[in-house]
Amino acid sequence: MSGETVYLTHGRVRLALHRLRAAEDGHDLLLLHGLGERTPSKVPEWLGEWPGSVWGLDFTGHGESTIPVGGGYTAEVLMADVDAALCHLGRATLLGRGLGAYIALLAAGARADAVVGAILCDGPGLIGGGIRPGSPWIAAVAVGADPGPPDPFALVELSRDVRPPDYAVTWVRHAIEYGSVDPAIAVCCVVRPEWLEATVAEPGVVECSLDEALRLYARASG
Amino acid sequence: MTATTEAPFVHYPGARAPDRRRTVDAAGVRIAVYEWGDPDAPPLLLAHGGLDFARTFDVFAPLLADGGWRVVSWDQRGHGDSAHCHLYSWSADVRDALAVLDSTTRRPVPLIGHSKGGSLMMELADAMPHRVSHLVNIDGLPSARNAPDVPDRERTRMRHAEVQAWLEHRRAIASKMRRPGTIDELAERRGRMNTRLDREWLRYLVTVGAELTPEGWRWKLDPALRFGGFGPWNPEWSLGRLPGLAIPVLGMLGMQPELMGWGTQPEDVTPYLPPRGRLEVFEDAGHFIHIEQPERVAKMVLEFLEESR
């Protein structure tokens, strides 16, 4: 990492929050990686010129954050990871890739007062486990398997996380109802799983390019 | 934390401590397992409900054991003497249950569960039908009725408040400890959630489910765990597992309303019963049917297991 790393406590998990670039002006941008990924070691080129500081959070079981014993992942727990980061940062725009996009949506609804827009982008884990559970199965990690990071349980459990459209819409409505940024969410994804189709259909959600979204929220103050 | 004095013990009529204890490693998580009955008898699994622990079966389990079964129960992760974990989820609990089953036998066995334990066993039966011979669900049959009937706007507000409360809980759990008290104080607190259970039973539960610390008794329950929650799960998805089960199924519903009860009505369940399914309704019992009427429930279970052997 080219910047500093702050370690946050979320329950028994130690979360790594990396500062990729420091800046004096504007609010922070918080990067949320995809399933199985980690925060990049430097500010991605595709990010352009964000005027504020840029941070990246390693989700539980990923990067330099704690790998839990015995699994038990849910999207909601990762949303609480983001809440821990927002406690540290204050207010931030969220930029999520794949799984991080879904988590950004949840966090935008849960902490609408702290999120200055959520930008949703393609990446690993965007689809999740569909809109309803399939045949049940019980995940097992082989003895001697690569312990990670990323945690093998994270890869298995979060790839099967159920994402009903009406559930996603709940978080959109929370973001709109309890936040002050309009539009609350910018969708830059090409791939449109059902939860994301439902999100886009809601008022207060805009479809645009990543550049447009970044410019939009860089100017926003909320 | 270590107790500094010998813990007093409260006796309860019919209660019998497990005959054996052991631990099972569930993907690195230590799970405390308890057994009643002859170790050579045919085994069955007995799963407790949310925020409970295996010793809540101290009256019920011996009755099944006396009926000729090796009764195997366990404290779910974060409960009782099982390890506290970084994470808790439904899928993790099902996985831990399978670890207990694998440590017990590879042959098909009856699964019996109360409340959340009943739904866990239903999922295990659906996921691994080759490992299950019978399913008994004691007041753990969900329904859409559990959701409050309120306008959309009010529902949005309620959900948001629930999320905020949960996040505040998540922020605080690193420093949380269970609140200490006397045996009577802990029994009284639990009694607020278990209003139909008699005081002496609740006092007994304290002595087997809490630990005595210098500050007083504390429930052996990870402070990260709490009542309620939210998520995408739809109760009807669980019910949807029932119709396809080929094994004999016995469902039980306690009809007296309780805070920890699920409010499910017979008409919610009946359409989902499998071909070999049966539903028994206890009009005069609440959520803890097997604690209020252990002899009646045990007799029903034993006859069910015998007649469908």
Side-chain angles (χ1 to χ4, degrees):
Chain A
M1 292 291 163
S2 54
E4 71 173 283
T5 295
V6 177
Y7 292 97
L8 310 173
T9 297
H10 174 205
R12 295 191 177 87
V13 171
R14 189 185 77 157
L15 292 172
L17 178 63
H18 308 281
R19 187 169 65 178
L20 304 182
R21 185 173 71 203
E24 295 296 329
D25 298 324
H27 59 275
D28 294 337
L29 179 71
L30 177 61
L31 305 182
L32 303 176
H33 60 74
L35 178 62
E37 296 184 324
R38 63 193 299 155
T39 299
S41 59
K42 59 181 181 178
V43 177
E45 291 180 3
W46 45 261
L47 196 57
E49 294 300 322
W50 179 263
S53 296
V54 178
W55 296 79
L57 176 67
D58 289 341
F59 286 128
T60 297
H62 292 75
E64 293 178 31
S65 294
T66 298
I67 295 179
V69 176
Y73 292 85
T74 62
E76 289 72 25
V77 160
L78 301 193
M79 181 263 288
D81 284 350
V82 176
D83 178 60
L86 290 172
C87 277
H88 180 78
L89 297 177
R91 304 179 78 248
T93 291
L94 307 179
L95 194 162
R97 275 176 48 81
L99 170 68
Y102 185 64
I103 305 306
L105 171 64
L106 303 193
R111 290 298 190 201
D113 56 338
V115 174
V116 189
I119 304 172
L120 314 188
C121 299
D122 291 297
L126 182 72
I127 295 174
I131 67 173
R132 64 177 59 243
S135 294
W137 68 293
I138 301 173
V141 172
V143 174
D146 181 358
D151 183 3
F153 279 119
L155 298 177
V156 169
E157 293 179 326
L158 293 169
S159 67
R160 292 175 59 90
D161 185 63
V162 176
R163 298 175 191 172
D166 58 343
Y167 187 69
V169 164
T170 296
W171 299 95
V172 176
R173 292 178 180 173
H174 287 176
I176 295 165
E177 175 82 15
Y178 298 102
S180 56
V181 179
D182 187 13
I185 295 162
V187 175
C188 308
C189 299
V190 174
V191 175
R192 298 294 173 88
E194 290 187 51
W195 70 265
L196 192 50
E197 286 285 2
T199 297
V200 165
E202 288 293 300
V205 178
V206 67
E207 297 176 82
C208 60
S209 70
L210 176 57
D211 285 344
E212 290 168 337
L214 290 168
R215 285 196 297 271
L216 173 68
Y217 292 125
R219 295 194 300 265
S221 58
Chain B
M1 197 159 285
T2 304
T4 55
T5 60
E6 185 176 342
F9 184 75
V10 174
H11 292 275
Y12 188 80
R16 199 167 94 205
D19 298 316
R20 293 174 298 284
R21 304 181 192 213
R22 56 190 172 92
T23 61
V24 167
D25 182 323
V29 176
R30 188 194 75 254
I31 299 294
V33 180
Y34 309 82
E35 297 191 11
W36 292 261
D38 186 339
D40 296 320
L44 60 80
L45 294 197
L46 186 57
H48 65 72
L51 306 183
D52 275 337
F53 44 95
R55 296 295 300 270
T56 58
F57 292 130
D58 273 8
V59 171
F60 182 59
L63 295 172
L64 301 179
D66 291 346
W69 293 89
R70 172 190 172 195
V71 181
V72 179
S73 190
W74 66 100
D75 293 332
Q76 290 165 31
R77 61 169 63 188
H79 299 69
D81 288 324
S82 288
H84 294 185
C85 295
H86 298 91
L87 300 176
Y88 296 94
S89 74
W90 189 267
S91 63
D93 282 329
V94 178
R95 185 165 58 246
D96 295 345
L98 177 60
V100 174
L101 177 58
D102 285 347
S103 75
T104 302
T105 182
R106 293 288 175 159
R107 293 179 173 273
V109 299
L111 303 181
I112 303 174
H114 169 244
S115 192
K116 173 196 169 188
S119 279
L120 288 175
M121 295 301 95
M122 200 154 64
E123 176 149 347
L124 183 56
D126 194 19
M128 308 198 79
H130 59 299
R131 304 290 301 275
V132 185
S133 65
H134 302 74
L135 178 68
V136 178
N137 184 308
I138 305 172
D139 213 48
L141 294 161
S143 76
R145 191 184 301 267
N146 302 146
D149 185 16
V150 297
D152 278 353
R153 186 171 182 86
E154 180 62 17
R155 187 186 306 276
T156 297
R157 188 195 66 77
M158 290 170 65
R159 286 179 176 173
H160 188 259
E162 188 172 28
V163 171
Q164 301 309 299
W166 183 76
L167 285 174
E168 293 306 314
H169 169 73
R170 295 297 302 183
R171 288 182 176 183
I173 57 179
S175 58
K176 277 194 171 183
M177 297 182 76
R178 288 288 164 186
R179 185 157 56 108
T182 64
I183 290 174
D184 287 331
E185 285 169 344
L186 265 66
E188 181 186 356
R189 283 182 223 151
R190 188 162 177 115
R192 296 176 204 150
M193 304 250 293
N194 300 167
T195 56
R196 294 177 58 89
L197 303 183
D198 75 73
R199 182 173 183 82
E200 283 310 301
W201 169 251
L202 297 174
R203 295 182 78 250
Y204 174 81
L205 283 189
V206 174
T207 62
V208 298
E211 63 182 337
L212 183 58
T213 69
E215 295 77 26
W217 291 87
R218 294 183 197 270
W219 287 113
K220 292 189 285 188
L221 184 67
D222 188 350
L225 296 167
R226 71 193 281 270
F227 190 64
F230 63 93
W233 192 258
N234 182 321
E236 289 180 353
W237 294 339
S238 289
L239 273 181
R241 303 192 190 286
L242 269 180
L245 295 178
I247 57 175
V249 172
L250 172 62
M252 299 180 183
L253 289 179
M255 300 310 297
Q256 295 302 310
E258 281 196 273
L259 182 60
M260 292 185 78
W262 295 16
T264 303
Q265 297 295 308
E267 57 266 33
D268 301 324
V269 177
T270 301
Y272 292 89
L273 286 176
R276 301 176 71 188
R278 174 177 132 211
L279 181 66
E280 293 290 340
V281 178
F282 291 69
E283 294 289 350
D284 55 348
H287 187 50
F288 295 87
I289 309 169
H290 62 297
I291 297 179
E292 288 189 53
Q293 302 181 28
E295 291 84 6
R296 180 180 171 194
V297 174
K299 181 173 186 290
M300 187 177 291
V301 169
L302 290 169
E303 289 176 349
F304 165 73
L305 296 178
E306 184 61 31
E307 72 196 14
S308 52
R309 225 170 199 181

